[in-house]
Amino acid sequence: MSAPFRSYVLVSREQIARNFRNVRSVAGPGVEVAAVVKADAYGHGALEVSRVLMAEGAHWFAVSSVDEGAQLRAGGIRDPRILVMGGYLPYEADALLAHNLTPAIHSLAQIRDLDHLAASTAKPIPYHLKIDSGMGRLGTCASPAQILETLAATPHARLEGLMTHFASAADFTSPQTDAQIEYFRSTVRALGEAGIRAPLLHTSSTNAIGYARDTDGPTLVRAGHALYGYLSPARGDAPPPLLDVKPALTWKAKILAVKDLPEGALVGYGGSFRTPRPMRIGILGAGYADGIFHRLSNRGKVIADGKLTPILGTVSMDLTTIDLSHTTALAPGDEVTLLGADGDVSLDAQQIAKTAGTISYNILCNISARVRRVYA
Ligand SMILES: *Cc1c(COP(=O)(O)O)cnc(C)c1O
């Protein structure tokens, strides 16, 4: 299928749904799967992905900010719960309540703020308390005794979840995940002994789900990358991955021009590529403003006429030049694959990330807003 856009991504709704079902079956019965659709569903389109997953029966979505949550509500995602993992700032409190969003809370002071808010609006506002179990990013470092003291003083806000996040879940050469699990469990235990039980306990995102890091106790998992078909490769002595997910997104760009250059010609800004022989080149209508990493200049590849072929010269803002010496089949208006499969050849976000010196998440999230999203 071809769409009338210079650069577009084609997202398979069915593959997103399959990936969600796979995560659900790996998470097991009785474990809720929160679909992480932050950052426009990692470039796949948050609204469309949320609609697909709502139809699959998703009860929970997770986003980063109040703004992202409000956009889901405005787009018609009404009934499912929405967890705002990045919490809220004071100026976002009204929108949080208006859109019925559930904040992750990262400090005891903020439990008190939320409690005031709940008291003043006469609403029992649910929240999930994030424990910093050793990642050193968001989450409270308070002791169980301090948490209990705060909970006793905040009867209006409702503790619905206890959560944490792992820093190194795919790294089996590091003891960090086991230490984080132990810390989180001991906090949950101490609160439980004092009679405080949150209905939802959650620690795991894709890598922890995929490598079965913490399967005993949690009642919810937060899956992002897996929904989009990815699991990070493990380091060290990892068990076989449980997830069987596949990429759902194909990224295409149109060829604007094809031409033949003699040996010794320079290509693109800075003349960083010189043809070592006569070459046919294609100029694509997509560049770094579309999300093709500038770091792929003279290093990256695309798939053209069923073959991997190199990017020549520097990636420009709106244009990228590729080698088409292997084919006479492509003309202006035809398209190439920047990410995805074409025939027997494929190029996924992890492979591109390796070449660009980054991670697959970064490749997906970097596909810019001007690249049209098309759904199949
Ligand atoms: C982004 C995020 C997730 C999802 O992570 P994936 O690796 O994409 O599954 C889960 N939890 C938190 C706190 C996050 O920020």
Side-chain angles (χ1 to χ4, degrees):
M1 132 159 208
S2 174
F5 306 116
R6 288 190 170 211
S7 178
Y8 63 95
V9 299
L10 189 58
V11 176
S12 164
R13 292 189 181 96
E14 182 46 37
Q15 190 58 52
I16 299 266
R18 270 199 291 268
N19 291 340
F20 180 71
R21 292 195 288 266
N22 182 249
V23 174
R24 249 197 328 215
S25 76
V26 169
V31 176
E32 195 72 58
V33 177
V36 179
V37 295
K38 63 189 179 187
D40 204 26
Y42 299 34
H44 294 63
L47 260 185
E48 200 57 44
V49 167
S50 298
R51 287 182 188 130
V52 168
L53 297 182
M54 234 168 82
E56 289 294 315
H59 301 125
W60 278 92
F61 290 94
V63 295
S64 276
S65 65
V66 170
D67 194 41
E68 287 183 337
Q71 286 183 39
L72 286 189
R73 292 291 188 226
I77 309 300
R78 296 258 146 72
D79 296 335
R81 301 288 305 281
I82 299 178
L83 176 68
V84 181
M85 297 186 293
Y88 72 101
L89 288 167
Y91 71 89
E92 296 170 317
D94 289 344
L96 183 86
L97 296 190
H99 295 290
N100 189 27
L101 307 174
T102 304
I105 296 289
H106 304 113
S107 72
L108 301 185
Q110 208 177 19
I111 301 179
R112 289 189 282 273
D113 289 342
L114 195 70
D115 190 65
H116 286 143
L117 203 59
S120 68
T121 56
K123 273 190 184 175
I125 307 175
Y127 68 93
H128 293 209
L129 180 62
K130 187 165 184 180
I131 307 295
D132 180 359
S133 58
M135 182 169 182
R137 207 179 58 176
L138 286 174
T140 178
C141 298
S143 69
Q146 291 170 314
I147 295 172
L148 285 167
E149 192 184 338
T150 304
L151 292 179
T154 53
H156 305 287
R158 186 162 68 80
L159 177 70
E160 181 186 38
L162 285 168
M163 62 185 286
T164 194
H165 192 50
F166 298 133
S168 308
D171 185 356
F172 283 79
T173 68
S174 161
Q176 192 174 9
T177 306
D178 290 335
Q180 288 195 256
I181 290 171
E182 183 44 42
Y183 185 98
F184 184 70
R185 283 187 186 164
S186 76
T187 303
V188 171
R189 207 181 305 124
L191 297 184
E193 282 161 7
I196 300 292
R197 275 179 196 83
L200 295 173
L201 298 176
H202 48 114
T203 61
S204 297
S205 52
T206 293
N207 291 340
I209 299 165
Y211 298 111
R213 281 295 204 166
D214 187 24
T215 53
D216 187 23
T219 51
L220 180 146
V221 294
R222 307 180 302 267
H225 218 208
L227 300 179
Y228 312 110
Y230 292 90
L231 170 69
S232 302
R235 296 189 62 204
D237 196 8
L242 301 176
L243 289 167
D244 179 20
V245 292
K246 292 191 180 60
L249 177 154
T250 303
W251 185 10
K252 303 267 192 185
K254 293 279 192 297
I255 296 171
L256 303 184
V258 175
K259 56 192 199 180
D260 292 299
L261 295 180
E263 178 183 336
L266 299 178
V267 172
Y269 284 121
S272 67
F273 183 81
R274 181 189 294 271
T275 55
R277 56 182 182 278
M279 288 179 91
R280 173 168 305 119
I281 64 168
I283 296 99
L284 306 179
Y288 60 77
D290 298 274
I292 301 177
F293 274 66
H294 191 267
R295 281 284 303 276
L296 294 175
S297 299
N298 283 315
R299 314 164 68 138
K301 290 191 159 62
V302 307
I303 308 172
D305 192 23
K307 289 219 163 56
L308 282 171
T309 193
I311 290 173
L312 305 179
T314 53
V315 174
S316 307
M317 186 182 291
D318 311 305
L319 302 169
T320 299
T321 302
I322 59 169
D323 186 1
L324 286 182
S325 301
H326 65 284
T327 178
T328 54
L330 294 174
D334 291 337
E335 55 191 32
V336 306
T337 302
L338 304 176
L339 192 169
D342 177 9
D344 303 338
V345 191
S346 71
L347 196 55
D348 69 21
Q350 278 165 346
Q351 293 166 301
I352 297 170
K354 212 168 211 181
T355 313
T358 180
I359 58 173
S360 49
Y361 294 73
N362 194 187
I363 298 295
L364 295 174
C365 292
N366 200 54
I367 302 173
S368 79
R370 101 170 163 191
V371 177
R372 299 291 284 263
R373 269 65 177 175
V374 179
Y375 295 89

